[in-house]
Amino acid sequence: GMTRDQLAFLKDLKNVRGFGRSPSGRIQVFVERKQPIDELDNADRVPHLVDADDRLRTTNVLEAPFRLQSRAGTAEADPEPWDVREEREPNRRGEFQPPLGGIQIQVEGVPGVGTMGYPAVRRTEDGALGFLTNEHVADAEIGAGVYQPSLKEGRKIGTVAAKTDRENGEEPVAADAAFCVYDEDITPSPHILNIGAVDGWAEPEKHDWLELSGRTTGYGNGLYISLDSHVDITVGEDADGNDIKREFGPVLVYTVDTSGGDSGSAVISKAEDQPAGEALHFAGGGGLGVGCPITAVNDELGPFEPVMPEPSDAGGTNPGNGDDTDDADDTDERSRLQRIVDLIVRVVGGGDS
């Protein structure tokens, strides 16, 4: 299969931030800023063909100023706490009783807010009940309090129990993830807002129709545009205001236009009747989102299992447009969207470096 070493030379070119493989087999090349090809030196032009997987593959260039997507600031509180049995579309930045995936959280000692991702059980000796989010959302000491929706305007619902290490030397960061354990007095919902309960974990398939539930974007959907990707992500700024970048990979890139505050969102597949968790969203830019595979999250911090509803869990706990679409309609929509994505890739990728 395609390896990072095979295509590492691309990052020596001007503005190139990384690369990946499209579902159709093209090599996606991610750049800081696209430029007309006649403005580039020959040595900095992305080649039309590259050798990968023991065959020549065509390249496509995409503008991708990817950044971590926590958001600084306080919550915009709902006047009334929102209950999952209500029909109205909630303010995801408000207080939720019970808490569920897709809503705003803030960790003690962290200035930004993010998204509660997957309700999950850690399958180790403690069998802890909690949820997954990003390490940079929970960038505090183990044991730091987690509040919903924020420290200023919410209540404590849990603590940070485990997180990945972003400063792991020269190797690419495999996952930006954290596991937070619920306090004993919290009874959470097993659902993700607008999506429902997740039935298990899965690896992305070639044309998976994916859905995301985030604090800022709300409900979003799209398709994978790049698999097995290795990309430099802006993780902060130095004292002089220059971007600090770290390489993450392999990661997934998809056509969901995410925003600050969406970090930690669940990225799930609707290829089957029941949603399956495939990634944990952590970065984005240029109209694209970036997630670490849920398999990497399990390898780094798990193993985890998604929380399933009790058999007596009645309807009404999944408001919105998540999982009531007919299977045939889903298939037709995925095919239509894939054709649109392929067209966009051809148009955007033409003539630029």
Side-chain angles (χ1 to χ4, degrees):
M2 189 187 79
T3 67
R4 171 176 171 245
D5 291 343
Q6 284 179 298
L7 298 175
F9 74 93
L10 291 170
K11 291 183 68 176
D12 294 331
L13 306 181
K14 184 178 181 180
N15 287 331
V16 172
R17 294 185 65 158
F19 48 82
R21 172 178 53 84
S22 78
S24 62
R26 299 180 75 182
I27 301 303
Q28 306 283 38
V29 183
F30 300 103
V31 298
E32 184 83 30
R33 182 175 61 87
K34 293 188 71 173
Q35 295 178 256
I37 197 167
D38 56 6
E39 293 182 8
L40 287 170
D41 294 336
N42 287 336
D44 287 323
R45 296 179 182 180
V46 174
H48 178 63
L49 294 171
V50 295
D51 188 0
D53 292 340
D54 297 323
R55 57 173 288 191
L56 289 176
R57 295 183 180 272
T58 58
T59 59
N60 179 58
V61 178
L62 294 168
E63 191 166 272
F66 294 143
R67 308 182 70 89
L68 299 182
Q69 287 193 318
S70 61
R71 184 185 184 97
T74 58
E76 299 171 16
D78 233 347
E80 298 289 337
W82 188 81
D83 188 283
V84 293
R85 290 176 290 278
E86 296 187 35
E87 293 297 327
R88 65 188 175 98
E89 176 66 17
N91 173 9
R92 293 167 181 260
R93 307 169 194 186
E95 182 179 344
F96 283 72
Q97 298 179 359
L100 73 167
I103 63 175
Q104 177 175 290
I105 56 169
Q106 186 174 22
V107 173
E108 185 179 6
V110 180
V113 297
T115 297
M116 180 184 293
Y118 296 96
V121 175
R122 184 166 56 186
R123 286 303 180 199
T124 54
E125 291 182 4
D126 63 0
L129 173 64
F131 62 88
L132 293 168
T133 187
N134 288 149
E135 180 272 334
H136 72 270
V137 172
D139 190 13
E141 298 293 327
I142 299 298
V146 182
Y147 290 76
Q148 202 287 308
S150 69
L151 277 73
K152 182 179 179 181
E153 299 170 337
R155 59 174 179 152
K156 182 175 178 292
I157 61 169
T159 57
V160 177
K163 56 182 183 171
T164 54
D165 181 10
R166 203 187 323 152
E167 304 299 330
N168 64 345
E170 297 301 318
E171 291 300 310
V173 181
D176 183 329
F179 180 61
C180 302
V181 176
Y182 283 115
D183 288 345
E184 291 184 0
D185 62 338
I186 300 296
T187 303
S189 167
H191 292 265
I192 298 170
L193 192 57
N194 294 134
I195 290 175
V198 173
D199 193 34
W201 310 128
E203 295 188 18
E205 297 294 335
K206 187 173 182 179
H207 296 301
D208 273 358
W209 168 260
L210 63 91
E211 298 179 315
L212 177 148
S213 182
R215 171 261 189 200
T216 307
T217 296
Y219 172 82
N221 55 51
L223 291 164
Y224 292 109
I225 198 170
S226 185
L227 312 172
D228 300 328
S229 310
H230 287 266
V231 188
D232 290 344
I233 306 289
T234 300
V235 299
E237 294 182 350
D238 62 21
D240 297 322
N242 300 311
D243 285 347
I244 300 172
K245 299 183 179 73
R246 290 285 286 116
E247 181 182 344
F248 287 76
V251 294
L252 304 163
V253 183
Y254 33 85
T255 59
V256 182
D257 189 6
T258 52
S259 300
D262 286 329
S263 278
S265 300
V267 179
I268 67 97
S269 167
K270 289 293 294 289
E272 304 296 337
D273 291 343
Q274 191 70 17
E278 293 187 339
L280 192 64
H281 175 80
F282 73 98
L288 301 173
V290 186
C292 45
I294 199 68
T295 50
V297 176
N298 273 297
D299 290 343
E300 295 282 322
L301 299 179
F304 299 102
E305 288 184 3
V307 178
M308 292 297 295
E310 296 294 331
S312 60
D313 194 354
T317 58
N318 182 28
N321 51 352
D323 61 351
D324 295 325
T325 307
D326 182 78
D327 288 346
D329 291 342
D330 271 354
T331 300
D332 291 343
E333 181 68 6
R334 285 197 297 273
S335 298
R336 184 185 71 83
L337 206 64
Q338 183 63 54
R339 290 195 297 272
I340 293 172
V341 169
D342 289 343
L343 177 61
I344 291 171
V345 167
R346 289 197 297 270
V347 172
V348 172
D352 292 343
S353 60

